Amino acid sequence: MPPKKKAEEHKPPPLIGRVGTSLKVGIVGLPNVGKSTFFNVLTKSQASAENFPFCTIDPNESRVPVPDERWQFLCEFHKPASKVPAFLLVTDIAGLVRGAHEGQGLGNAFLSHIKATDAIFHMTRAFEDEDIVHVDGDVNPVRDMETIWEELRMKDLEYLNAQVSKLEKTSKQTKNLRPEYECLLKVQTLLTEEKKPVRFVEWSAQEIEILNKHLLITSKPMIYLINLSEKDYIRKKNKWLMKMKQWIDENDKGARAIPFSAAFELKLLEMETDEERQKYTKEVGAESVLDKIIVDGFKALNLEYFFTCGPDEVKAWVIQKGTKAPQAAGRIHSDMEKGFIMAEVMKFTDFKEEGSEAAVKSAGKYRQQGRNHVVEDGDIIFFKFNAPTQGGKKK
């Protein structure tokens, strides 16, 4: 009998975007739509939120803890000396205006800040306020979304035109540059004729590899944040909501849209006690959606995390989806990846249901996994490894 063929190792499909765990979400929108107020509430920082179109000139960046009841449960169970949640990196980017791709306002600098992010919170204003001037004179969120989309598209196109022009000459002399030239031509046509974002297309693995060299703005996942007045948010009504939903369905089908109110969130933040907040939200029949926004932003980056836990520390370790056990161990220490032996894995649900590690083992739900194990979100993992000088076990 001929020898059996070795089973091919499954490789996850490549993804557009940077590889890594220090990925960022940028808050993008026109001036005076509530970006800095939202950022202040989100991060409890003191970024300037004055009523002036370019008050946020340098991007403000902050780490926002990702809310997770599983992590909270593990902290309460172990009562560790150190508690480390997962974090979402958020950047507040100063407002874009029409013509930003040509340098209007402070356009080019802002667009370069957007290019440095990995996903976008696209914030749009759907509230009226005579004290807060709109850069275009009146409130029209559909027009504003079109403005932002057009600026991002044109910035990508400006970059692509230069790249295609350069490759048109060099690819004739260097054949291995031909695939890159043809891929960028395809993107150029997409943005020029179809006027669709890069993220709309199913690209081949080779094309994704090429696109990841260029990190185009329209390839980044986008979540729409619709900023309502406190009154509209509480009563769940606004004349623009259906029109905005229709625009998003037509132009960015499948994208998440989250109505919220920066004014409502700020009011909750300024209350002194949780009891006061709970009383107010019960009275008005509306809840904060900050947790939802943070979690959706984190997921948009294609990130997840596993837990290590014990009396010393409960920590969420951020990894990209599809990460295998040795590389996950390497997030803790490079020696653990090099000397990886196995991962001892518990599902969080099993741990919570059974009540302890020993009970999980008794129930036969404690797994020993090898090098090809793909770590899943919320796994509780104990890594065994050969250290350079001595064996060890990391909890």
Side-chain angles (χ1 to χ4, degrees):
M1 285 179 68
K4 289 183 180 179
K5 287 184 179 179
K6 190 177 179 181
E8 286 188 19
E9 189 177 315
H10 172 71
K11 290 185 179 179
L15 298 161
I16 293 181
R18 287 194 302 150
V19 174
T21 55
S22 298
L23 307 182
K24 297 185 283 191
V25 179
I27 308 170
V28 174
L30 297 179
N32 293 349
V33 299
K35 295 187 308 299
S36 290
T37 301
F38 169 67
F39 179 81
N40 290 344
V41 173
L42 198 63
T43 65
K44 297 182 174 67
S45 68
Q46 297 301 315
S48 172
E50 297 301 319
N51 175 24
F52 185 72
F54 305 112
C55 67
T56 317
I57 295 171
D58 294 316
N60 292 279
E61 187 169 311
S62 186
R63 296 196 317 159
V64 183
V66 178
D68 190 324
E69 290 180 357
R70 299 171 301 180
W71 178 81
Q72 199 67 45
F73 177 89
L74 292 171
C75 288
E76 289 169 5
F77 181 90
H78 290 285
K79 298 179 174 54
S82 171
K83 304 173 184 178
V84 185
F87 288 97
L88 175 68
L89 296 177
V90 181
T91 303
D92 179 21
I93 297 169
L96 283 177
V97 293
R98 189 175 285 110
H101 71 280
E102 298 172 332
Q104 292 296 317
L106 297 173
N108 282 321
F110 298 163
L111 286 162
S112 70
H113 293 153
I114 297 170
K115 193 156 186 173
T117 65
D118 302 282
I120 295 171
F121 282 145
H122 179 166
M123 184 172 294
T124 308
R125 172 179 172 177
F127 66 88
E128 302 279 353
D129 190 327
E130 292 179 0
D131 295 329
I132 303 176
V133 64
H134 190 289
V135 71
D136 287 331
D138 64 328
V139 174
N140 183 333
V142 174
R143 175 201 61 207
D144 294 351
M145 289 192 295
E146 287 173 348
T147 297
I148 294 292
W149 157 237
E150 188 64 10
E151 291 306 318
L152 301 185
R153 182 182 74 87
M154 291 303 294
K155 190 62 182 176
D156 271 356
L157 204 49
E158 178 189 289
Y159 171 83
L160 276 168
N161 289 342
Q163 293 296 313
V164 167
S165 178
K166 186 169 70 175
L167 282 167
E168 189 174 15
K169 299 169 188 174
T170 55
S171 65
K172 289 176 183 176
Q173 300 161 347
T174 312
K175 285 187 177 180
N176 62 355
L177 291 176
R178 195 73 193 169
E180 183 173 4
Y181 172 65
E182 290 171 356
C183 176
L184 294 189
L185 265 182
K186 187 175 173 181
V187 180
Q188 190 182 47
T189 302
L190 177 77
L191 290 171
T192 307
E193 297 177 12
E194 298 181 49
K195 296 188 175 182
K196 289 182 178 178
V198 175
R199 63 182 177 275
F200 260 39
V201 177
E202 285 190 20
W203 303 94
S204 70
Q206 185 186 32
E207 287 170 331
I208 288 174
E209 197 173 314
I210 292 165
L211 290 172
N212 284 347
K213 288 169 59 181
H214 299 280
L215 297 174
L216 298 166
I217 295 173
T218 63
S219 69
K220 303 177 191 299
M222 187 175 285
I223 296 172
Y224 294 84
L225 302 181
I226 303 168
N227 193 5
L228 307 172
S229 67
E230 182 182 9
K231 180 182 175 183
D232 283 358
Y233 178 70
I234 289 170
R235 68 191 186 122
K236 299 176 177 63
K237 287 184 180 178
N238 179 280
K239 67 179 181 180
W240 292 106
L241 284 175
M242 285 307 296
K243 294 174 185 175
M244 294 175 78
K245 183 182 184 306
Q246 184 179 351
W247 187 91
I248 292 168
D249 286 346
E250 289 173 0
N251 295 277
D252 202 351
K253 193 171 179 64
R256 297 294 301 270
I258 305 174
F260 84 110
S261 170
F264 175 78
E265 300 291 353
L266 183 60
K267 180 180 277 189
L268 292 181
L269 178 66
E270 290 174 342
M271 292 178 182
E272 293 184 1
T273 65
D274 287 340
E275 289 75 18
E276 197 177 346
R277 293 185 192 96
Q278 288 168 8
K279 182 182 177 185
Y280 181 69
T281 54
K282 190 174 181 180
E283 281 176 3
V284 299
E287 297 284 344
S288 168
V289 289
L290 279 186
D291 285 1
K292 177 181 173 59
I293 292 171
I294 295 167
V295 170
D296 281 6
F298 188 83
K299 287 179 179 177
L301 295 170
N302 202 47
L303 298 175
E304 60 187 17
Y305 44 87
F306 65 91
F307 299 110
T308 56
C309 50
D312 294 332
E313 182 180 67
V314 168
K315 183 166 182 174
W317 297 89
V318 176
I319 54 174
Q320 288 201 298
K321 286 183 181 175
T323 298
K324 291 186 177 180
Q327 289 69 49
R331 287 285 294 130
I332 301 172
H333 198 285
S334 58
D335 286 347
M336 295 176 68
E337 180 176 356
K338 291 172 188 172
F340 178 87
I341 298 172
M342 71 173 69
E344 298 182 345
V345 183
M346 288 184 284
K347 297 295 176 195
F348 171 80
T349 49
D350 291 337
F351 179 77
K352 186 177 180 181
E353 185 181 318
E354 301 297 337
S356 69
E357 180 183 327
V360 172
K361 287 179 177 177
S362 297
K365 298 176 181 177
Y366 196 83
R367 304 278 186 248
Q368 292 183 330
Q369 304 286 8
R371 292 185 168 277
N372 288 327
H373 174 66
V374 176
V375 175
E376 294 184 11
D377 184 56
D379 279 352
I380 300 169
I381 305 182
F382 299 77
F383 289 107
K384 285 185 175 180
F385 65 102
N386 286 320
T389 53
Q390 59 184 18
K393 180 176 177 178
K394 173 71 178 178
K395 292 188 178 184

